[in-house]
Amino acid sequence: MAGVPRIAVVGGGFAGAAFALHLIRANGARPIALDVYEPLPLLGAGLAYSSEDPAHRINVAAARMAVFSEDPTHFDRWFRETGEAAADPDALLEDGRAYPRRAAFGRYMDQLLRHAARAFPNVRFRHLRTKVTDVVPRGDAYRLRTAAGDEIVSDLIVLSPGHPPPPSARWATADAARAPRFIGNPWVPDALAVVRPDDEVLIVGTGLTMADVVSSLRARGHVGAITALSRRGLTPRPRTILPVEPFGTFHQPPTQSAADLLRRVRAGVRAAAKEGKPWECVVDALRQQGTAIWQGLSPASRRLFLRHLRAWWDVHRYQIAPQIDRVLQDDQRSGRLKVVKADILAIRRFEGSFHVSLRPRGKAAHPEVERFFDAVVNCTGPDHGTVVQSNPVLQSMSEGGLLRADPHGLGIDVDSLARAIGRDGTPTRNVFVAGPLARGYFGELMGLPQVSLQPERLAITVSELLGSAEAAKLDMAV
Ligand SMILES: Cc1cc2nc3c(=O)[nH]c(=O)nc-3n(C[C@H](O)[C@H](O)[C@H](O)COP(=O)(O)OP(=O)(O)OC[C@H]3O[C@@H](n4cnc5c(N)ncnc54)[C@H](O)[C@@H]3O)c2cc1C
């Protein structure tokens, strides 16, 4: 590597921006060129925090949205001290916690990163508002091509392209899926605008996206009945208002077995209850120890976990903003929202509405039920199993043998340093992954603070690599 090393961050949503921010801080005075490729105007906002929908709030209290491990409540202070809190009084709860709108966190990340870039003039920082479409090796470096038609050579690449869109609805006929009030991807801005106030709505999926959709529809004046449906009918659990401390040790001694892990967790919840502590304390301990626990499990147990326990884990580990929970509770009490446990058999178009065949689930065998809805919203979540095919840059790198999907369908295969594993099973030189797509190795890597710690550690790895390459006057072979 001759001259100033050029680093490309592909995807400047939360994980990419967190990596760039931490790299700038860890890198010190060394000259580097840092390019963040991100089509959105704000850096750090990404899919979650670019939402302009005022009904969308962060799902953990601001004090837990830690970007800096040494100062976890930085965002909470920023929110209260910059006028953001005054502009959004509903964010503040009586118990003192703050649940800002998601867009506030996007503005915060953008400010943090741009401020850091200005404070370190040795960093030649660029925000390139375009997508990277393909990457090929060029000597010891890589040539990136962008949707804007540029070709730029970089020495090191950090991939952080975020979540893929939801899977296409295999239960809907092509005709139904094309209908105007079939909302295949509710994350598209203003996707819900097509729903009329009295429409009877079917939401497929009962997780956090369902909660967002219900709360957005109600905020837009929707008064029609909503049915939210999933195979298990599980909804995210609201958090207790007690401050919680992690409780229990589940990674030591390590266990290979999902069944043993489940026994330990149940015993942990009972032990916590004896001490007057809520189950959330156990969930927090599991999240902190998530990487070690995941790595201890055998491949068969990981598969078992994903097939049978993941839905339970998700509803306990994902939280819901109390403001949103209130909307759901009120709606359920009044009967306007029904959460049902059922399998969808088919959705067909029928005279401007949807004819839905479903089979309720339960201990007894249930007959098929036919229902009609005016609108259908697919809230089944990101389709991580197809992430490589759904993003052209990942597809091109996969075809070139530079990366591969992880064996559990959670994202991209990486090693302990978050280096992408290539087709031949060895780490690809100077290609790293930041954020949830590295979950196949790191396990629990979805929400903050875990998803900010991984880019922070990666920034230290990359900074050390840049330092050793410079000291040895070598190319950046790891
Ligand atoms: C709707 C939603 C709400 C959430 N809310 C919370 C929350 O409140 N609290 C919490 O802790 N976690 C939340 N999460 C979890 C979330 O996964 C993480 O907090 C985090 O935002 C993920 O960051 P990311 O960088 O991987 O993805 P993103 O932040 O989405 O960033 C990916 C970025 O990559 C860009 N991109 C994609 N492909 C390319 C390309 N080829 N070239 C250039 N750029 C590209 C995209 O434009 C996007 O901006 C939420 C997730 C979702 C989906």
Side-chain angles (χ1 to χ4, degrees):
M1 179 186 46
V4 174
R6 180 169 295 282
I7 294 138
V9 178
V10 178
F14 177 74
F19 167 79
L21 173 68
H22 290 301
L23 180 66
I24 291 172
R25 284 157 43 102
N27 171 66
R30 186 186 309 121
I32 56 170
L34 180 56
D35 296 333
V36 181
Y37 295 84
E38 170 56 59
L40 291 175
L42 293 190
L43 290 170
L47 174 62
Y49 314 111
S50 61
S51 168
E52 287 301 328
D53 188 328
H56 289 170
R57 294 191 176 273
I58 57 170
N59 53 34
V60 293
R64 293 170 68 96
M65 293 289 281
V67 175
F68 303 110
S69 49
E70 78 283 5
D71 184 5
T73 57
H74 190 268
F75 171 58
D76 188 71
R77 294 200 307 281
W78 177 91
F79 178 68
R80 291 171 200 267
E81 290 164 10
T82 53
E84 289 270 352
D88 178 18
D90 289 347
L92 300 167
L93 303 186
E94 277 178 6
D95 60 29
R97 290 177 301 168
Y99 282 81
R101 293 187 176 123
R102 288 213 289 268
F105 190 74
R107 289 191 285 276
Y108 165 74
M109 282 303 295
D110 187 71
Q111 277 185 24
L112 279 184
L113 177 52
R114 291 187 198 275
H115 183 268
R118 278 196 300 275
F120 287 82
N122 55 304
V123 178
R124 281 193 238 143
F125 181 82
R126 293 194 297 181
H127 172 193
L128 295 127
R129 285 197 59 189
T130 180
K131 283 203 168 191
V132 178
T133 52
D134 68 72
V135 170
V136 290
R138 166 78 60 88
D140 290 329
Y142 296 95
R143 193 271 292 137
L144 287 76
R145 187 179 294 133
T146 72
D150 299 318
E151 295 200 350
I152 299 168
V153 174
S154 295
D155 299 292
L156 185 145
I157 298 177
V158 172
L159 295 168
S160 41
H163 302 289
S168 54
R170 58 187 156 62
W171 19 263
T173 60
D175 188 34
R178 274 197 307 270
R181 268 178 280 284
F182 186 95
I183 299 160
N185 183 355
W187 295 320
V188 171
D190 242 12
L192 300 177
V194 292
V195 180
R196 297 160 300 192
D198 293 318
D199 277 348
E200 189 161 341
V201 177
L202 172 67
I203 298 181
V204 185
T206 56
L208 282 173
T209 308
M210 174 280 290
D212 272 352
V213 166
V214 172
S215 138
S216 296
L217 284 173
R218 297 312 189 204
R220 287 164 176 267
H222 178 259
V223 289
I226 301 178
T227 300
L229 169 156
S230 67
R231 299 191 74 208
R232 293 188 173 85
L234 297 171
T235 52
R237 305 286 197 269
R239 275 251 154 175
T240 166
I241 57 168
L242 297 171
V244 294
E245 286 299 322
F247 180 92
T249 305
F250 304 95
H251 59 311
Q252 292 296 349
T255 180
Q256 288 216 322
S257 146
D260 182 42
L261 176 62
L262 184 60
R263 271 192 296 277
R264 285 194 205 179
V265 170
R266 286 186 168 142
V269 172
R270 283 194 299 273
K274 272 194 192 140
E275 294 188 22
K277 296 180 175 167
W279 57 264
E280 287 94 331
C281 299
V282 172
V283 170
D284 280 0
L286 287 165
R287 289 185 64 186
Q288 276 185 357
Q289 298 155 24
T291 298
I293 294 171
W294 180 250
Q295 281 164 12
L297 293 176
S298 66
S301 278
R302 288 181 183 187
R303 280 194 295 277
L304 260 172
F305 172 84
L306 292 171
R307 196 171 323 127
H308 299 295
L309 298 177
R310 183 184 182 171
W312 294 93
W313 171 238
D314 281 353
V315 291
H316 287 90
R317 56 89 62 223
Y318 287 131
Q319 300 155 40
I320 182 166
Q323 295 91 331
I324 313 277
D325 187 48
R326 215 173 300 134
V327 175
L328 297 193
Q329 299 295 336
D330 288 350
D331 260 20
Q332 278 184 282
R333 258 193 304 273
S334 69
R336 290 200 305 168
L337 168 66
K338 291 209 163 50
V339 176
V340 300
K341 208 159 63 160
D343 287 316
I344 295 197
L345 305 175
I347 298 187
R348 297 179 195 87
R349 206 165 170 186
F350 179 80
E351 293 179 358
S353 65
F354 298 95
H355 173 208
V356 179
S357 313
L358 49 93
R359 192 189 307 281
R361 287 165 66 94
K363 290 211 173 80
H366 289 276
E368 202 174 309
V369 173
E370 308 293 319
R371 296 271 311 267
F372 289 90
F373 293 93
D374 303 303
V376 175
V377 192
N378 180 4
C379 293
T380 54
D383 189 8
H384 286 113
T386 61
V387 68
V388 169
Q389 297 89 298
S390 64
N391 198 318
V393 66
L394 301 182
Q395 171 92 42
S396 86
M397 293 177 80
S398 159
E399 282 165 9
L402 301 175
L403 58 76
R404 63 186 188 188
D406 84 79
H408 300 292
L410 295 171
I412 302 170
D413 206 7
V414 298
D415 69 359
S416 60
L417 294 176
R419 294 180 293 186
I421 306 284
R423 186 195 294 137
D424 64 0
T426 63
T428 298
R429 192 172 183 275
N430 300 333
V431 175
F432 297 84
V433 178
L437 294 186
R439 273 185 314 159
Y441 183 87
F442 293 99
E444 176 60 19
L445 195 57
M446 208 41 153
L448 277 71
Q450 281 75 24
V451 86
S452 60
L453 258 181
Q454 188 260 340
E456 185 173 352
R457 291 191 180 132
L458 177 56
I460 293 166
T461 304
V462 168
S463 165
E464 286 170 358
L465 181 58
L466 294 171
S468 59
E470 190 179 68
K473 297 267 180 286
L474 288 174
D475 282 345
M476 292 183 8
V478 184

